[in-house]
Amino acid sequence: HPEELSSTDNASVPEKFALKAAYPNPFNSMTLISYSVPVASHISLKLYNLAGREVRTLTDEMQKAGNHQVILNADQLASGLYFVRMEAAEKVFTRKLVLIK
């Protein structure tokens, strides 16, 4: 028998891939990056500087369906503008981050 999902499980699985706005942003040393995964997928979440160079990989792995969060600790990064890029199921999402120290 296939397992049936209860309505609460259905409610917790997002309908589409999404990279949400980081909070706080602008930020000083840490920010929380949230994203949604509707079906188990390989998720790549990377941080790029203004010159387009990859600065850090936040995640690069298979993830279960659901809402996920990553904390970015920017203690080693210089102040400035950064971009978080999420690649999932041939979709690409980008969000701007402002680091102020």
Side-chain angles (χ1 to χ4, degrees), residues 35-51:
Y35 55 99
S36 300
V37 179
V39 292
S41 304
H42 184 270
I43 304 297
S44 168
L45 200 62
K46 296 184 178 185
L47 186 68
Y48 293 86
N49 65 17
L50 199 52

Side-chain angles (χ1 to χ4, degrees), residues 5-67:
L5 293 175
S6 70
S7 60
T8 54
D9 288 338
N10 284 336
S12 66
V13 175
E15 290 182 19
K16 60 185 179 184
F17 288 100
L19 177 59
K20 301 177 178 129
Y23 182 81
N25 188 21
F27 68 106
N28 179 289
S29 63
M30 292 172 111
T31 189
L32 185 66
I33 299 164
S34 302
Y35 55 99
S36 300
V37 179
V39 292
S41 304
H42 184 270
I43 304 297
S44 168
L45 200 62
K46 296 184 178 185
L47 186 68
Y48 293 86
N49 65 17
L50 199 52
R53 283 194 206 83
E54 184 182 320
V55 197
R56 189 172 299 165
T57 297
L58 303 172
T59 191
D60 190 8
E61 63 188 13
M62 280 298 292
Q63 296 198 347
K64 295 186 286 190
N67 294 302

Side-chain angles (χ1 to χ4, degrees), residues 19 26 34 47 52 62 68 71 74-75 81 83 87-88 90 98:
L19 177 59
S34 302
L47 186 68
M62 280 298 292
H68 300 270
I71 293 174
D75 286 345
L81 190 59
F83 296 94
E87 293 181 32
E90 299 179 12
V98 179

Side-chain angles (χ1 to χ4, degrees), residues 70-90:
V70 174
I71 293 174
L72 169 61
N73 181 333
D75 286 345
Q76 307 299 318
L77 300 174
S79 294
L81 190 59
Y82 292 87
F83 296 94
V84 175
R85 177 182 165 110
M86 176 176 138
E87 293 181 32
E90 299 179 12

